[in-house]
Structures are given as C-alpha cells and as structure tokens.
Amino acid sequence: MEFSLIKTCSITGLFLYFLIGKLCLMCVWPTKIEEKQFFFVISLYVVHLITYIVVNAFYFICYESKSKYISQAKIEQKPWPWDGKDSKVWNQMKRLFWKNVFINQFIMIGVAYGSSCIKLDTRFDQSFPTVFEISWQILVFGVIEDVLFYFSHRLLHTPYFYGKVHKVHHIYNITVSWSAEFAHPLEYILGNLIPVIAGPILLGSQTHMITILVFVGLATHKTLSDHSGFNFVWDVYQYLPLTTHSEFHSKHHSLNTGNYSSTFTYLDDLLGTTIKK
C-alpha cells in the first residue's frame, strides 16, 4: 500500500511539474517577442542554469547530510570522491571541474545559437500548449534524445574515442550529481546538447517554446539525478516502464560498460548491452 502511494504521488508529481512549469512560464511570458533567436538562446541557457544550480544544491545537502535515511538511498557502498581520494587528487579534480563548467557555458550558447540558425519555426506566441501537448511532445523529444545519445555513447566507448574523449567523464567511477555534465567539449556537444535540442528543432512549428523549456528543465534534472549516486523512493523514473534511472546509470559508471541509454532501456535490451547483474 505504501509503495503504491509513493508510486502514484511520484508519477502525479511529474505531470504537476508539466502544469506548474507551464503556468510559471506563462506568468512571465512576453506579450510580443521581437528577437526570437535571442530569446531562444537565452531562455534555454537560463532554464538550464537555474535547474543545474537548484538540483545540485539539493544533492550537495544530501552529500553533507548525516541522515540515516539519505545514507540508505546511496547506491554504491563506496566512498564519495572527496572521501576516497588523496586531497591533492581531489583538488585537481575540482579545478578540472570548474574549468570544464566554464568552457561548457560558451559551448551551450554556441550550440543553441547554431541550431536556431538551422531551423527556428517554434511557436513563441500566446497560443500556450496544454499539459497534454507538453506530455506527448516531451515523450517524442525523449525518444529522439535517447536514440542519439545511445549511439553517440556507444561510439564514445570505442577504444579511440574513449581514450581521447570519454575518459574525461569516467574520471568519476562513483557518480555525483555535478559530474553529469563533466565532459570533453566534443562529448558535451555530441552526447549532451545535440540529442536534447534535436527533438524540438525537428518538431518545429508544432512545438511551443514553453514546451521546450519544460523539457530542458526535465532533461537537466534527469541527468543530474541519474548521476547523483542516490536512488530515492520518490524518483519517478524507476516507476515508469522502460525508463532508465539512477541505479541503471550508476552500474554503467561502476563497470565502465553497458547501460548506454539515457532515457529508455529498450535500445540496451534490443542490442544486448543491458547490464544484467
């Protein structure tokens, strides 16, 4: 009974996010947007940045907490990177992280601008999307993102690209939330940004900018959650069918192979790359 209640509340919370996200954006939506390209780039960046800061702040509190409940939600019974490494090594990892974050800000803006130059017929007007429209379009975005991420991820695990590119991300063999976007610039473009922006660009005028922003917030939260190292009972993705979650991706980092998908599990299942144990 308790499990069913948590599951119901968790799934309901996902759709409440769609509704609340839409309503919050409607409250601040300009009556007329003259510079659509500028608005597209900046709004994507701001929504991602706010989500990144808020979600990482939550997990930072969890990492610092001594609560038994939070400790029980930890997936890997290994020390966190800052506990299990020499202080010099950890300080070096921190310097690399901040350098990486700084560079990625410019890459994100560049990719958003570049994609808007290719095609930008997204709706920006007052014809706001319904929750149903947001839901089915985010499902489509998720499928497109997952396919592109899966195959780019498998490419990054080939010997050449792993050594030159993907090894940067796998410096964290036990994941923490902020390591989600810690990646070589090439990987950040191919594996993080293009898969997320591809769906909205392909759907074009069928999609309202509000739907895209709700999706970007959701996608940012999911990748941070998947890398958090925690599997909380309220994590909605463990209750949705064929959906990846934090434990799924933690196995990938722990074993350095398999579980290549980001959103759905069916490609790993069909192509024999699911980690069984």
mmCIF file of all heavy atoms in Angstrom, residues 113-144:
data_model
loop_
_atom_site.group_PDB
_atom_site.id
_atom_site.type_symbol
_atom_site.label_atom_id
_atom_site.label_comp_id
_atom_site.label_asym_id
_atom_site.label_seq_id
_atom_site.Cartn_x
_atom_site.Cartn_y
_atom_site.Cartn_z
ATOM 1 N N TYR A 113 22.610 28.606 -30.395
ATOM 2 C CA TYR A 113 22.584 29.589 -31.489
ATOM 3 C C TYR A 113 22.669 28.890 -32.846
ATOM 4 O O TYR A 113 21.928 29.219 -33.782
ATOM 5 C CB TYR A 113 23.733 30.584 -31.321
ATOM 6 C CG TYR A 113 23.829 31.574 -32.469
ATOM 7 C CD1 TYR A 113 22.941 32.639 -32.563
ATOM 8 C CD2 TYR A 113 24.803 31.427 -33.465
ATOM 9 C CE1 TYR A 113 23.008 33.535 -33.615
ATOM 10 C CE2 TYR A 113 24.883 32.324 -34.515
ATOM 11 C CZ TYR A 113 23.986 33.369 -34.592
ATOM 12 O OH TYR A 113 24.055 34.240 -35.645
ATOM 13 N N GLY A 114 23.579 27.920 -32.956
ATOM 14 C CA GLY A 114 23.744 27.200 -34.220
ATOM 15 C C GLY A 114 22.484 26.468 -34.635
ATOM 16 O O GLY A 114 22.092 26.493 -35.810
ATOM 17 N N SER A 115 21.819 25.814 -33.679
ATOM 18 C CA SER A 115 20.590 25.088 -34.008
ATOM 19 C C SER A 115 19.476 26.050 -34.417
ATOM 20 O O SER A 115 18.669 25.736 -35.292
ATOM 21 C CB SER A 115 20.140 24.238 -32.815
ATOM 22 O OG SER A 115 19.838 25.052 -31.693
ATOM 23 N N SER A 116 19.454 27.231 -33.809
ATOM 24 C CA SER A 116 18.433 28.217 -34.186
ATOM 25 C C SER A 116 18.689 28.781 -35.581
ATOM 26 O O SER A 116 17.753 29.225 -36.264
ATOM 27 C CB SER A 116 18.392 29.358 -33.163
ATOM 28 O OG SER A 116 19.572 30.139 -33.229
ATOM 29 N N CYS A 117 19.934 28.758 -36.024
ATOM 30 C CA CYS A 117 20.261 29.214 -37.381
ATOM 31 C C CYS A 117 19.820 28.188 -38.426
ATOM 32 O O CYS A 117 19.443 28.542 -39.551
ATOM 33 C CB CYS A 117 21.765 29.460 -37.513
ATOM 34 S SG CYS A 117 22.363 30.887 -36.593
ATOM 35 N N ILE A 118 19.869 26.914 -38.053
ATOM 36 C CA ILE A 118 19.473 25.848 -38.977
ATOM 37 C C ILE A 118 17.973 25.883 -39.224
ATOM 38 O O ILE A 118 17.501 25.842 -40.356
ATOM 39 C CB ILE A 118 19.882 24.474 -38.412
ATOM 40 C CG1 ILE A 118 21.411 24.369 -38.336
ATOM 41 C CG2 ILE A 118 19.318 23.331 -39.260
ATOM 42 C CD1 ILE A 118 21.909 23.174 -37.560
ATOM 43 N N LYS A 119 17.213 25.964 -38.113
ATOM 44 C CA LYS A 119 15.753 25.969 -38.240
ATOM 45 C C LYS A 119 15.155 26.514 -36.953
ATOM 46 O O LYS A 119 15.432 26.005 -35.877
ATOM 47 C CB LYS A 119 15.235 24.557 -38.493
ATOM 48 C CG LYS A 119 13.728 24.453 -38.664
ATOM 49 C CD LYS A 119 13.307 22.989 -38.804
ATOM 50 C CE LYS A 119 11.803 22.871 -38.931
ATOM 51 N NZ LYS A 119 11.364 21.451 -38.933
ATOM 52 N N LEU A 120 14.301 27.532 -37.070
ATOM 53 C CA LEU A 120 13.643 28.086 -35.894
ATOM 54 C C LEU A 120 12.238 28.545 -36.277
ATOM 55 O O LEU A 120 11.999 29.716 -36.552
ATOM 56 C CB LEU A 120 14.444 29.252 -35.306
ATOM 57 C CG LEU A 120 13.906 29.817 -33.984
ATOM 58 C CD1 LEU A 120 13.914 28.747 -32.897
ATOM 59 C CD2 LEU A 120 14.734 31.017 -33.528
ATOM 60 N N ASP A 121 11.308 27.578 -36.317
ATOM 61 C CA ASP A 121 9.910 27.939 -36.547
ATOM 62 C C ASP A 121 9.043 27.541 -35.356
ATOM 63 O O ASP A 121 7.836 27.325 -35.466
ATOM 64 C CB ASP A 121 9.374 27.321 -37.849
ATOM 65 C CG ASP A 121 9.671 25.833 -37.955
ATOM 66 O OD1 ASP A 121 10.249 25.273 -37.007
ATOM 67 O OD2 ASP A 121 9.313 25.230 -38.984
ATOM 68 N N THR A 122 9.683 27.461 -34.193
ATOM 69 C CA THR A 122 8.995 27.200 -32.927
ATOM 70 C C THR A 122 7.991 28.319 -32.652
ATOM 71 O O THR A 122 8.218 29.473 -33.003
ATOM 72 C CB THR A 122 10.031 27.140 -31.786
ATOM 73 O OG1 THR A 122 10.974 26.107 -32.073
ATOM 74 C CG2 THR A 122 9.374 26.870 -30.445
ATOM 75 N N ARG A 123 6.877 27.987 -32.013
ATOM 76 C CA ARG A 123 5.876 28.991 -31.645
ATOM 77 C C ARG A 123 6.335 29.767 -30.415
ATOM 78 O O ARG A 123 6.761 29.182 -29.426
ATOM 79 C CB ARG A 123 4.523 28.336 -31.345
ATOM 80 C CG ARG A 123 3.954 27.583 -32.504
ATOM 81 C CD ARG A 123 2.506 27.153 -32.329
ATOM 82 N NE ARG A 123 2.013 26.985 -31.000
ATOM 83 C CZ ARG A 123 1.872 25.799 -30.375
ATOM 84 N NH1 ARG A 123 2.239 24.681 -30.965
ATOM 85 N NH2 ARG A 123 1.372 25.737 -29.153
ATOM 86 N N PHE A 124 6.225 31.082 -30.480
ATOM 87 C CA PHE A 124 6.581 31.935 -29.350
ATOM 88 C C PHE A 124 5.387 32.767 -28.888
ATOM 89 O O PHE A 124 5.513 33.565 -27.961
ATOM 90 C CB PHE A 124 7.711 32.900 -29.738
ATOM 91 C CG PHE A 124 9.051 32.246 -29.934
ATOM 92 C CD1 PHE A 124 9.397 31.676 -31.150
ATOM 93 C CD2 PHE A 124 9.971 32.187 -28.898
ATOM 94 C CE1 PHE A 124 10.635 31.083 -31.349
ATOM 95 C CE2 PHE A 124 11.220 31.594 -29.076
ATOM 96 C CZ PHE A 124 11.553 31.033 -30.306
ATOM 97 N N ASP A 125 4.246 32.601 -29.531
ATOM 98 C CA ASP A 125 3.093 33.481 -29.291
ATOM 99 C C ASP A 125 2.326 33.089 -28.029
ATOM 100 O O ASP A 125 2.788 32.328 -27.197
ATOM 101 C CB ASP A 125 2.172 33.486 -30.514
ATOM 102 C CG ASP A 125 1.702 32.070 -30.876
ATOM 103 O OD1 ASP A 125 1.821 31.161 -30.020
ATOM 104 O OD2 ASP A 125 1.233 31.872 -32.007
ATOM 105 N N GLN A 126 1.108 33.610 -27.911
ATOM 106 C CA GLN A 126 0.266 33.368 -26.741
ATOM 107 C C GLN A 126 -0.585 32.103 -26.866
ATOM 108 O O GLN A 126 -1.430 31.852 -26.010
ATOM 109 C CB GLN A 126 -0.647 34.587 -26.528
ATOM 110 C CG GLN A 126 0.080 35.901 -26.302
ATOM 111 C CD GLN A 126 0.710 36.012 -24.923
ATOM 112 O OE1 GLN A 126 0.115 35.639 -23.938
ATOM 113 N NE2 GLN A 126 1.931 36.526 -24.854
ATOM 114 N N SER A 127 -0.364 31.301 -27.898
ATOM 115 C CA SER A 127 -1.106 30.039 -28.053
ATOM 116 C C SER A 127 -0.423 28.968 -27.202
ATOM 117 O O SER A 127 0.180 28.026 -27.702
ATOM 118 C CB SER A 127 -1.133 29.609 -29.521
ATOM 119 O OG SER A 127 0.184 29.383 -30.013
ATOM 120 N N PHE A 128 -0.542 29.133 -25.900
ATOM 121 C CA PHE A 128 0.195 28.292 -24.966
ATOM 122 C C PHE A 128 -0.228 26.830 -25.062
ATOM 123 O O PHE A 128 -1.402 26.524 -25.295
ATOM 124 C CB PHE A 128 -0.008 28.803 -23.534
ATOM 125 C CG PHE A 128 0.504 30.199 -23.317
ATOM 126 C CD1 PHE A 128 -0.336 31.206 -22.861
ATOM 127 C CD2 PHE A 128 1.831 30.504 -23.581
ATOM 128 C CE1 PHE A 128 0.136 32.488 -22.660
ATOM 129 C CE2 PHE A 128 2.316 31.800 -23.377
ATOM 130 C CZ PHE A 128 1.467 32.787 -22.924
ATOM 131 N N PRO A 129 0.719 25.909 -24.871
ATOM 132 C CA PRO A 129 0.403 24.482 -25.007
ATOM 133 C C PRO A 129 -0.405 23.958 -23.822
ATOM 134 O O PRO A 129 -0.290 24.459 -22.698
ATOM 135 C CB PRO A 129 1.791 23.832 -25.028
ATOM 136 C CG PRO A 129 2.645 24.758 -24.216
ATOM 137 C CD PRO A 129 2.135 26.139 -24.516
ATOM 138 N N THR A 130 -1.216 22.936 -24.080
ATOM 139 C CA THR A 130 -1.913 22.248 -22.999
ATOM 140 C C THR A 130 -0.938 21.267 -22.329
ATOM 141 O O THR A 130 0.125 20.963 -22.886
ATOM 142 C CB THR A 130 -3.114 21.462 -23.542
ATOM 143 O OG1 THR A 130 -2.627 20.452 -24.450
ATOM 144 C CG2 THR A 130 -4.083 22.380 -24.282
ATOM 145 N N VAL A 131 -1.313 20.756 -21.175
ATOM 146 C CA VAL A 131 -0.478 19.763 -20.498
ATOM 147 C C VAL A 131 -0.377 18.508 -21.360
ATOM 148 O O VAL A 131 0.679 17.861 -21.412
ATOM 149 C CB VAL A 131 -1.039 19.433 -19.097
ATOM 150 C CG1 VAL A 131 -0.290 18.244 -18.471
ATOM 151 C CG2 VAL A 131 -0.940 20.648 -18.184
ATOM 152 N N PHE A 132 -1.454 18.174 -22.064
ATOM 153 C CA PHE A 132 -1.423 17.004 -22.956
ATOM 154 C C PHE A 132 -0.399 17.209 -24.075
ATOM 155 O O PHE A 132 0.381 16.314 -24.391
ATOM 156 C CB PHE A 132 -2.813 16.754 -23.557
ATOM 157 C CG PHE A 132 -2.826 15.630 -24.562
ATOM 158 C CD1 PHE A 132 -2.721 14.303 -24.154
ATOM 159 C CD2 PHE A 132 -2.914 15.902 -25.930
ATOM 160 C CE1 PHE A 132 -2.707 13.264 -25.084
ATOM 161 C CE2 PHE A 132 -2.902 14.872 -26.860
ATOM 162 C CZ PHE A 132 -2.803 13.554 -26.431
ATOM 163 N N GLU A 133 -0.412 18.406 -24.679
ATOM 164 C CA GLU A 133 0.554 18.701 -25.742
ATOM 165 C C GLU A 133 1.980 18.633 -25.214
ATOM 166 O O GLU A 133 2.868 18.054 -25.856
ATOM 167 C CB GLU A 133 0.289 20.092 -26.323
ATOM 168 C CG GLU A 133 1.248 20.479 -27.446
ATOM 169 C CD GLU A 133 1.009 21.881 -27.985
ATOM 170 O OE1 GLU A 133 -0.167 22.263 -28.156
ATOM 171 O OE2 GLU A 133 2.001 22.603 -28.213
ATOM 172 N N ILE A 134 2.195 19.219 -24.036
ATOM 173 C CA ILE A 134 3.526 19.163 -23.431
ATOM 174 C C ILE A 134 3.947 17.713 -23.203
ATOM 175 O O ILE A 134 5.078 17.329 -23.500
ATOM 176 C CB ILE A 134 3.543 19.949 -22.096
ATOM 177 C CG1 ILE A 134 3.380 21.450 -22.362
ATOM 178 C CG2 ILE A 134 4.839 19.685 -21.324
ATOM 179 C CD1 ILE A 134 3.193 22.283 -21.109
ATOM 180 N N SER A 135 3.027 16.888 -22.709
ATOM 181 C CA SER A 135 3.329 15.495 -22.357
ATOM 182 C C SER A 135 3.728 14.668 -23.571
ATOM 183 O O SER A 135 4.771 13.994 -23.557
ATOM 184 C CB SER A 135 2.131 14.850 -21.652
ATOM 185 O OG SER A 135 1.793 15.556 -20.484
ATOM 186 N N TRP A 136 2.919 14.714 -24.645
ATOM 187 C CA TRP A 136 3.236 13.852 -25.786
ATOM 188 C C TRP A 136 4.476 14.349 -26.535
ATOM 189 O O TRP A 136 5.267 13.539 -27.047
ATOM 190 C CB TRP A 136 2.042 13.670 -26.715
ATOM 191 C CG TRP A 136 1.694 14.785 -27.666
ATOM 192 C CD1 TRP A 136 0.689 15.681 -27.536
ATOM 193 C CD2 TRP A 136 2.325 15.085 -28.930
ATOM 194 N NE1 TRP A 136 0.654 16.547 -28.611
ATOM 195 C CE2 TRP A 136 1.643 16.198 -29.485
ATOM 196 C CE3 TRP A 136 3.398 14.542 -29.623
ATOM 197 C CZ2 TRP A 136 2.003 16.768 -30.716
ATOM 198 C CZ3 TRP A 136 3.763 15.111 -30.846
ATOM 199 C CH2 TRP A 136 3.064 16.200 -31.376
ATOM 200 N N GLN A 137 4.657 15.663 -26.560
ATOM 201 C CA GLN A 137 5.841 16.175 -27.253
ATOM 202 C C GLN A 137 7.116 15.886 -26.475
ATOM 203 O O GLN A 137 8.149 15.569 -27.066
ATOM 204 C CB GLN A 137 5.682 17.669 -27.526
ATOM 205 C CG GLN A 137 4.640 17.957 -28.593
ATOM 206 C CD GLN A 137 4.577 19.402 -29.019
ATOM 207 O OE1 GLN A 137 5.284 20.256 -28.493
ATOM 208 N NE2 GLN A 137 3.712 19.696 -29.972
ATOM 209 N N ILE A 138 7.059 15.949 -25.155
ATOM 210 C CA ILE A 138 8.232 15.595 -24.346
ATOM 211 C C ILE A 138 8.554 14.114 -24.499
ATOM 212 O O ILE A 138 9.733 13.723 -24.512
ATOM 213 C CB ILE A 138 8.013 15.993 -22.869
ATOM 214 C CG1 ILE A 138 8.216 17.503 -22.724
ATOM 215 C CG2 ILE A 138 8.945 15.217 -21.932
ATOM 216 C CD1 ILE A 138 8.043 18.042 -21.323
ATOM 217 N N LEU A 139 7.539 13.282 -24.657
ATOM 218 C CA LEU A 139 7.771 11.851 -24.924
ATOM 219 C C LEU A 139 8.523 11.679 -26.244
ATOM 220 O O LEU A 139 9.485 10.909 -26.333
ATOM 221 C CB LEU A 139 6.449 11.095 -24.957
ATOM 222 C CG LEU A 139 6.534 9.589 -25.263
ATOM 223 C CD1 LEU A 139 7.349 8.865 -24.202
ATOM 224 C CD2 LEU A 139 5.134 8.985 -25.371
ATOM 225 N N VAL A 140 8.100 12.409 -27.264
ATOM 226 C CA VAL A 140 8.776 12.358 -28.568
ATOM 227 C C VAL A 140 10.210 12.874 -28.445
ATOM 228 O O VAL A 140 11.155 12.267 -28.956
ATOM 229 C CB VAL A 140 7.993 13.168 -29.633
ATOM 230 C CG1 VAL A 140 8.790 13.263 -30.936
ATOM 231 C CG2 VAL A 140 6.638 12.529 -29.895
ATOM 232 N N PHE A 141 10.370 13.997 -27.759
ATOM 233 C CA PHE A 141 11.721 14.545 -27.548
ATOM 234 C C PHE A 141 12.607 13.516 -26.854
ATOM 235 O O PHE A 141 13.778 13.347 -27.201
ATOM 236 C CB PHE A 141 11.674 15.794 -26.657
ATOM 237 C CG PHE A 141 10.941 16.969 -27.245
ATOM 238 C CD1 PHE A 141 10.527 18.018 -26.424
ATOM 239 C CD2 PHE A 141 10.660 17.054 -28.600
ATOM 240 C CE1 PHE A 141 9.862 19.113 -26.948
ATOM 241 C CE2 PHE A 141 9.989 18.139 -29.137
ATOM 242 C CZ PHE A 141 9.585 19.174 -28.300
ATOM 243 N N GLY A 142 12.032 12.836 -25.867
ATOM 244 C CA GLY A 142 12.783 11.845 -25.104
ATOM 245 C C GLY A 142 13.245 10.678 -25.954
ATOM 246 O O GLY A 142 14.372 10.192 -25.804
ATOM 247 N N VAL A 143 12.376 10.219 -26.854
ATOM 248 C CA VAL A 143 12.730 9.108 -27.752
ATOM 249 C C VAL A 143 13.871 9.521 -28.685
ATOM 250 O O VAL A 143 14.844 8.784 -28.866
ATOM 251 C CB VAL A 143 11.504 8.644 -28.565
ATOM 252 C CG1 VAL A 143 11.916 7.647 -29.650
ATOM 253 C CG2 VAL A 143 10.463 8.003 -27.646
ATOM 254 N N ILE A 144 13.744 10.708 -29.280
ATOM 255 C CA ILE A 144 14.787 11.209 -30.187
ATOM 256 C C ILE A 144 16.094 11.391 -29.431
ATOM 257 O O ILE A 144 17.164 10.973 -29.907
ATOM 258 C CB ILE A 144 14.345 12.534 -30.841
ATOM 259 C CG1 ILE A 144 13.142 12.285 -31.761
ATOM 260 C CG2 ILE A 144 15.500 13.170 -31.628
ATOM 261 C CD1 ILE A 144 12.478 13.556 -32.266
#
